[in-house]
Amino acid sequence: MASSHSYTLFIIIISFLLISISITSSNANFSENFLESITMMRMEKTTHLHFYFQDVLSGKNPTAVKIIGEGIGFGTTFMIDDKLTEGVEPDSKIIGRAQGMYSLAAQNDAALLMIVTFAFTEWSYNGSSISMLGRNHVFDDVREMPIVGGSGMFRFARGYALAHTVWFDPKTGDASVEYNVTVQHF
Ligand SMILES: *[C@@H]1O[C@H](CO)[C@@H](O)[C@H](O)[C@H]1NC(C)=O
Ligand SMILES: *[C@@H]1O[C@H](CO)[C@@H](O)[C@H](O)[C@H]1NC(C)=O
Ligand SMILES: *[C@@H]1O[C@H](CO)[C@@H](O)[C@H](O)[C@H]1NC(C)=O
């Protein structure tokens, strides 16, 4: 019968998988492989996050500080520890920090390289983080940047962030940026 043939084939494939797994996990002190079918049984979740990024370069307590470059030009780099807030107002509830850096990465354009960890401090997200790495063409209405990983409840995270500048002061460089982040994780 066709079904018993496919059952036999299934057993052969599974045995082959088990054999190849036992071969590839021989350096047990360095790495361990898990049977993919067991890993895949955990449900993947999708989480949407919405928050505002408060970039403050001016005043007595800036949260974005220039660490590389004279003036502002190609290569200028800022280190940031910006507040993430629930609302657009800079004094609204703090839900985390955006820690990392951004650099002017284009010679003839306003494009930043963003290397940022969003470290959350509220609710069940407290202590969990997501890592964003990407290009931010700052004068576009909406910019998309990849989410490349995460920690805590965001382990194995991957996804994307959409950023939109709500408010920008060209004199100081201060800005409030809306973020919608979509991440898949376990
Ligand atoms: C792997 O770790 C065990 C236990 O710590 C140790 O006895 C063994 O020598 C290690 N093997 C290698 C190849 O380092
Ligand atoms: C978040 O976690 C830290 C460290 O465990 C703790 O000190 C802090 O009170 C927590 N914050 C909230 C809002 O639960
Ligand atoms: C974020 O999502 C909200 C609600 O869907 C929407 O109103 C807003 O325009 C979005 N902003 C960005 C930058 O995607």
Side-chain angles (χ1 to χ4, degrees):
M1 274 178 63
S3 62
S4 77
H5 278 297
S6 48
Y7 184 71
T8 311
L9 189 62
F10 178 70
I11 293 295
I12 290 168
I13 290 169
I14 288 293
S15 317
F16 179 74
L17 272 177
L18 289 173
I19 290 161
S20 52
I21 284 162
S22 62
I23 290 167
T24 55
S25 64
S26 58
N27 292 310
N29 286 359
F30 172 63
S31 67
E32 224 180 327
N33 297 103
F34 298 97
L35 196 56
E36 274 307 308
S37 58
I38 294 170
T39 310
M40 277 158 55
M41 274 161 63
R42 292 188 295 169
M43 292 293 283
E44 204 170 21
K45 304 183 197 83
T46 299
T47 301
H48 296 280
L49 303 167
H50 179 252
F51 53 82
Y52 294 85
F53 168 100
Q54 308 289 352
D55 202 31
V56 180
L57 285 73
S58 68
K60 271 194 289 229
N61 298 305
T63 56
V65 174
K66 187 162 71 178
I67 57 164
I68 302 172
E70 292 294 318
I72 299 286
F74 182 57
T76 304
T77 298
F78 290 82
M79 195 82 207
I80 63 168
D81 184 9
D82 285 341
K83 284 192 297 188
L84 299 177
T85 59
E86 201 175 19
V88 67
E89 302 78 21
D91 61 354
S92 84
K93 183 183 170 71
I94 297 172
I95 57 110
R97 317 281 310 184
Q99 296 172 335
M101 55 179 89
Y102 56 75
S103 304
L104 275 81
Q107 285 182 297
N108 300 305
D109 205 351
L112 304 177
L113 164 67
M114 307 284 288
I115 306 169
V116 177
T117 306
F118 296 122
F120 300 104
T121 51
E122 279 298 321
W123 311 296
S124 56
Y125 304 102
N126 189 12
S128 295
S129 70
I130 54 182
S131 300
M132 182 178 78
L133 174 68
R135 178 174 188 266
N136 184 357
H137 191 244
V138 291
F139 294 121
D140 283 354
D141 182 37
V142 177
R143 291 86 70 185
E144 178 176 335
M145 288 165 274
I147 300 298
V148 296
S151 72
M153 66 176 288
F154 295 117
R155 282 180 185 173
F156 292 109
R158 60 197 200 289
Y160 61 96
L162 297 176
H164 162 72
T165 304
V166 180
W167 176 85
F168 173 66
D169 181 344
K171 273 199 221 106
T172 60
D174 294 357
S176 295
V177 182
E178 179 186 34
Y179 271 83
N180 280 326
V181 175
T182 303
V183 281
Q184 290 183 328
H185 57 96
F186 288 113

